[in-house]
Amino acid sequence: MDVSDAALLLAAGLAAGTVNAVAGGGSLITFPAMIAVGLPPVPANVSNSVAVFPGYVASVAGSRQDLPPRRMLATLAPTTIVGTIAGALLLLATPARAFELVVPFLVLGATAVLAFQDPLRRLVGHPRDLAPRRRTVTVQAMVAVGAVYGGYFGAALGVMLVAGLALVLDATLARVSALKNLLSALVGLTTLVVFALFGPVNWAAVAVVAPATLVGGYAGARLVRRLPPVVLKVLIVVFGTSIGLYLLWRALR
């Protein structure tokens, strides 16, 4: 790795950490950067998953004032870990082509859910009107699907988590975003362990990208707390739509 490669990865990591904290999708910055410096697709995907983890941790630190109660986190942690392990093992054991064709529609669908959150709530009911058991099961299902996706690919995981959780939780978007940061960090930690043990990680690339995501993740999380809810929602929808269309173009080309 020469100086220009390191500079590219450093800039990509800084941008990805910020984007992940605000909306999600930072992996679409760091993953192409790793491809650009010469890593094959699977090692690039695996190394990228490991490298963005510190950014998620920094995002949690930056949004700590909006985190939900520990009891809720304790109930969601096992679902997140199991789902992530399943997704990571799926990545290591299966061809990616079929999933690549599905991913863009998942991202675009999640973005549409967030964009039309209020009409959908009127259709399916506001979270405060749901029975406690139904709300618990729905939240667990949302987290499980997001964790499998995060373990397998991860790009736009934040968009998918925010869209799903905002629909079933009676909380501000800033609080939902804080929960998204924590769940993303747990997904990141789980993939780090799995890929460090079984995946072809390029540790030189990780060593450059990871510290940059740490700085960007904290800065992005602090920015989220200052943004009006409408602005934050628009940013996430724009990010999600752009990411979904990019993934669709890449899958069909």
Side-chain angles (χ1 to χ4, degrees):
M1 184 184 301
D2 58 27
V3 175
S4 61
D5 290 341
L8 174 62
L9 292 177
L10 192 66
L14 183 62
T18 305
V19 169
N20 277 338
V22 174
S27 291
L28 293 179
I29 301 173
T30 47
F31 177 71
M34 290 189 177
I35 294 290
V37 300
L39 293 183
V42 172
N45 193 16
V46 169
S47 302
N48 176 68
S49 297
V50 173
V52 298
F53 168 66
Y56 289 136
V57 175
S59 298
V60 173
S63 58
R64 61 189 178 278
Q65 293 172 300
D66 292 315
L67 289 174
R70 291 183 180 179
R71 184 176 61 181
M72 180 181 184
L73 302 179
T75 62
L76 294 177
T79 303
T80 305
I81 293 171
V82 172
T84 304
I85 291 173
L89 294 178
L90 186 65
L91 171 65
L92 296 176
T94 62
R97 180 58 183 165
F99 199 80
E100 285 178 356
L101 293 172
V102 175
V103 165
F105 297 100
L106 293 176
V107 175
L108 291 172
T111 304
V113 167
L114 183 62
F116 299 101
Q117 176 185 339
D118 293 333
L120 285 171
R121 277 185 169 179
R122 288 194 291 269
L123 182 65
V124 303
H126 196 279
R128 72 171 68 96
D129 299 326
L130 296 176
R133 182 178 178 83
R134 181 183 174 188
R135 183 167 56 245
T136 299
V137 171
T138 306
V139 171
Q140 290 283 355
M142 294 286 187
V143 171
V145 171
V148 172
Y149 173 83
Y152 190 97
F153 186 60
L157 170 62
V159 176
M160 299 185 73
L161 286 176
V162 168
L165 294 173
L167 191 62
V168 297
L169 292 179
D170 185 17
T172 65
L173 200 55
R175 290 188 178 276
V176 171
S177 182
L179 177 58
K180 174 264 296 181
N181 289 339
L182 189 62
L183 294 176
S184 296
L186 189 54
V187 169
L189 176 60
T190 307
T191 55
L192 187 154
V193 172
V194 173
F195 291 151
L197 292 174
F198 305 110
V201 179
N202 185 299
W203 291 106
V206 170
V208 176
V209 174
T213 66
L214 192 67
V215 176
Y218 187 83
R222 302 306 295 175
L223 174 63
V224 166
R225 298 198 75 247
R226 300 173 186 273
L227 291 175
V230 174
V231 175
L232 178 58
K233 185 175 182 178
V234 169
L235 280 175
I236 297 174
V237 169
V238 170
F239 270 117
T241 303
S242 302
I243 291 166
L245 292 175
Y246 168 77
L247 288 173
L248 183 61
W249 171 80
R250 195 177 70 176
L252 296 178
R253 66 176 179 173

